[in-house]
Amino acid sequence: MTVRVQRVSRMLQREIADILAREVDEAHMITVTEARVTRDLSIVEVHVSVFGSTAEQRADTFRLLQRRTAYIRGLLGRRIRHQLRAVPTVHFQLDESPESVRRMDALFDQIRKERRMRPDPLA
């Protein structure tokens, strides 16, 4: 990845995260974890993590985000019009890694509890 592509990726990540925080009402549960732009700067793949108490709630929020993609791209175009010739097409990808981390933490907590409950074999 070239230095320019890396810079543009970071800039797009910051701008899209700011748009979600300020302009999209329903995005209070969405965090941009990464943005990757293609070498020709025509497509940006935005990885987002969606927070919610249930999987269904997270899926609904992500579907809402996908429906608002054109609106978000329009806002992005106004923000970066002097920095890039063309506004890249935005593709949102659901980043499940935070959820995986939470599940693993819960499993480790459960293991710790079970170990505390077991009698000490050396005693």
Side-chain angles (χ1 to χ4, degrees), residues 35-50:
R36 291 185 194 156
V37 69
T38 57
R39 294 174 84 201
D40 63 356
L41 307 179
S42 64
I43 300 171
V44 62
E45 188 175 287
V46 182
H47 295 260
V48 296
S49 90
V50 179

Side-chain angles (χ1 to χ4, degrees), residues 28-122:
H28 62 278
M29 298 173 65
I30 300 171
T31 302
V32 177
T33 57
E34 183 181 17
R36 291 185 194 156
V37 69
T38 57
R39 294 174 84 201
D40 63 356
L41 307 179
S42 64
I43 300 171
V44 62
E45 188 175 287
V46 182
H47 295 260
V48 296
S49 90
V50 179
F51 298 99
S53 56
T54 65
E56 182 179 323
Q57 185 183 28
R58 288 189 298 273
D60 289 344
T61 302
F62 185 70
R63 278 192 294 276
L64 182 84
L65 176 65
Q66 287 182 312
R67 285 195 301 266
R68 307 282 312 262
T69 300
Y71 173 71
I72 292 166
R73 184 173 184 240
L75 294 173
L76 180 64
R78 287 187 212 113
R79 288 176 174 228
I80 65 168
R81 67 178 174 255
H82 298 296
Q83 297 166 33
L84 294 176
R85 283 189 192 144
V87 180
T89 303
V90 178
H91 293 275
F92 288 106
Q93 299 292 324
L94 188 58
D95 185 358
E96 293 287 349
S97 60
E99 184 61 31
S100 297
V101 169
R102 274 189 237 119
R103 280 195 301 260
M104 292 299 289
D105 283 342
L107 286 172
F108 287 134
D109 287 343
Q110 183 180 356
I111 291 169
R112 283 186 205 106
K113 285 180 187 176
E114 288 175 6
R115 283 186 179 168
R116 280 188 227 122
M117 300 300 284
R118 275 192 291 187
D120 188 11
L122 299 176

